[in-house]
Amino acid sequence: MLPKPQRLRDKRAIEAVRKPWCELCGRTGMRLEVHHIITKGSGGPDDCCNLVCLCAECHTRVHAGNISREMLQSIVARREGITPDEAEAEARELTRRAHCGYRVHSFTSPDTERHQPFR
């Protein structure tokens, strides 16, 4: 049996991604949750390229399979000013390093004050 990966844990990255609105639908005034695109159980890092702030309804829809990983990576890419492929590659590289036992460091993006739904 393979050991569980030592995933990157960074509360600063989570707080940097936390917004007062849902990054998918744009709603405010409700409970908001930070979602890991690559799951924590799979070694997904606490990194801005793997995190998206969602309202409880959108978060439930993600876990039900009604919102694609590609859609979430597009949100991250827009927020970070990179392409969706770059966002996925960054998150996957950090996950790969965690599985290999490397210490990884997070890039925390500057907090932007955009308040608009993704669609």
Side-chain angles (χ1 to χ4, degrees), residues 11-21 23 33-35 46-54 76 79-80 107-112:
K11 289 183 181 184
R12 292 173 303 151
I14 291 173
E15 290 308 313
V17 170
R18 192 176 304 279
K19 307 286 183 232
W21 64 87
E23 290 187 278
E33 304 163 345
V34 175
H35 173 74
D46 292 351
D47 182 83
C48 60
C49 288
N50 190 47
L51 302 169
V52 62
C53 187
L54 302 171
V76 168
R79 182 186 69 224
E80 300 301 321
F107 163 76
T108 303
S109 67
D111 191 11
T112 58

Side-chain angles (χ1 to χ4, degrees), residues 1-118:
M1 181 191 263
L2 294 173
K4 188 171 181 173
Q6 294 298 310
R7 68 179 199 84
L8 174 66
R9 297 170 191 229
D10 187 348
K11 289 183 181 184
R12 292 173 303 151
I14 291 173
E15 290 308 313
V17 170
R18 192 176 304 279
K19 307 286 183 232
W21 64 87
C22 176
E23 290 187 278
L24 182 64
C25 71
R27 284 185 269 186
T28 62
M30 53 184 35
R31 186 174 61 133
L32 297 163
E33 304 163 345
V34 175
H35 173 74
H36 289 76
I37 299 170
I38 300 173
T39 66
K40 294 186 287 188
S42 295
D46 292 351
D47 182 83
C48 60
C49 288
N50 190 47
L51 302 169
V52 62
C53 187
L54 302 171
C55 67
E57 183 178 324
C58 287
H59 200 186
T60 298
R61 290 174 51 215
V62 167
H63 284 282
N66 297 323
I67 298 172
S68 70
R69 177 178 282 187
E70 291 77 19
M71 174 68 77
L72 299 175
Q73 288 165 336
S74 293
I75 293 168
V76 168
R78 183 181 73 168
R79 182 186 69 224
E80 300 301 321
I82 58 178
T83 69
D85 289 340
E86 290 171 325
E88 180 182 16
E90 174 71 15
R92 289 204 179 280
E93 176 61 17
L94 291 171
T95 301
R96 185 192 68 77
R97 288 181 183 196
H99 280 276
C100 293
Y102 295 111
R103 300 237 348 127
V104 294
H105 300 284
S106 174
F107 163 76
T108 303
S109 67
D111 191 11
T112 58
E113 288 303 320
R114 284 179 259 163
H115 176 137
Q116 52 190 313
F118 177 71

